[in-house]
Amino acid sequence: MSAPTFRIAVLISGSGSNLQAIMDATRTGEIAGEIVLVLSNRPGAAGLTRARQAGIPAEVIDHQPFDTRAAYDQALGQRLAALEPDLIVLAGFMRILTDPLVRTFSGQMINIHPSLLPAYRGLHTHERAIAAGETQHGCSVHYVIPELDAGPVIAQAAIPLTPNDTPATLQARVQAMEHQLYPQVVSWIADGRVALHNDQVWLDGQPLTHPPRITAETEH
Ligand code: GRF
């Protein structure tokens, strides 16, 4: 009997370039799993088209008709629970999730954030890294916990920040790294190499003291 398929749900709000990288990696087999649903809170998200073109089910649960964040998250949670996903991947899903939803999927939900966490949680990370005169910047994949961008980090990718960088150049270079890092982390989880135990990330049977880093040598 073959092993059951590792079921991945991807939540998006926009372009879906990270979704694309993950779709590509499932197609090539780099990720041993299947994207069972792409879900957007915005009807116009370009990532929905990417999914449909690849033959992946894509749905919208528009947040606008919902009166409260709690009501929206309840609807979202019900849809996700019905899917029985092994992993929920937030890929540019631009909503803050409520505690009950996050707790329901504790250890099963990951996010990518454009900074070297714990530095620069929240928005405008590239602008803030430049303004602070950082020499390094990057992105992090972390488990989602109720506190925003504060969950245990699984892995990071770092790039040097040069004096010529603008928020736009930096965003492009960080995103190129995101497209390497995110599929890699999803593949580790699908392979059973990464898990969350008592708020601690474990990789290959060891508690992680420092999240592994992809560095700029592989930047392209
Ligand atoms: C990414 O840059 C990610 O860091 C942030 O949202 C962006 C999503 O981009 N969380 P895309 O929709 O994957 O192109």
Side-chain angles (χ1 to χ4, degrees), residues 11-21 47 50 90-94 111-115 125-126 138-140 149 171 174-175 178-179 182:
L11 271 50
I12 61 164
S13 298
S15 140
S17 67
N18 280 285
L19 164 68
Q20 185 72 55
R50 295 180 191 264
L90 306 185
F93 188 63
M94 301 302 286
N111 182 44
I112 192 157
H113 180 76
S115 78
T125 58
H126 308 307
C139 51
S140 308
D149 301 327
Q171 181 184 15
V174 168
Q175 275 218 327
E178 291 180 6
H179 302 157
Y182 219 0

Side-chain angles (χ1 to χ4, degrees), residues 141-145 150-155 196 199-201:
V141 177
H142 64 92
Y143 280 105
V144 176
I145 64 168
V153 174
I154 305 167
L196 187 67
D199 300 329
Q200 165 81 59
V201 178

Side-chain angles (χ1 to χ4, degrees), residues 7 19 34 38 45 61 68 128 133 146 167 171 173 176 178-179 194:
R7 297 167 61 79
L19 164 68
E34 185 186 340
V38 171
I61 304 181
T68 62
R128 288 155 62 204
Q171 181 184 15
R173 290 168 56 231
E178 291 180 6
H179 302 157
V194 173

Side-chain angles (χ1 to χ4, degrees), residues 82-99:
L83 282 174
E84 302 189 344
D86 295 296
L87 183 66
I88 298 167
V89 175
L90 306 185
F93 188 63
M94 301 302 286
R95 285 189 63 82
I96 294 172
L97 298 172
T98 54
D99 288 18

Side-chain angles (χ1 to χ4, degrees), residues 96-185:
I96 294 172
L97 298 172
T98 54
D99 288 18
L101 182 68
V102 171
R103 288 188 206 287
T104 299
F105 297 105
S106 172
Q108 288 183 293
M109 188 184 276
I110 60 173
N111 182 44
I112 192 157
H113 180 76
S115 78
L116 295 172
L117 290 170
Y120 307 114
R121 294 174 183 166
L123 297 174
H124 309 301
T125 58
H126 308 307
E127 287 87 340
R128 288 155 62 204
I130 290 170
E134 299 286 357
T135 55
Q136 257 205 332
H137 190 47
C139 51
S140 308
V141 177
H142 64 92
Y143 280 105
V144 176
I145 64 168
E147 195 183 341
L148 188 67
D149 301 327
V153 174
I154 305 167
Q156 299 180 313
I159 56 168
L161 205 158
T162 70
N164 295 330
D165 267 316
T166 65
T169 62
L170 205 48
Q171 181 184 15
R173 290 168 56 231
V174 168
Q175 275 218 327
M177 296 304 284
E178 291 180 6
H179 302 157
Q180 294 185 47
L181 181 68
Y182 219 0
Q184 186 174 95
V185 172

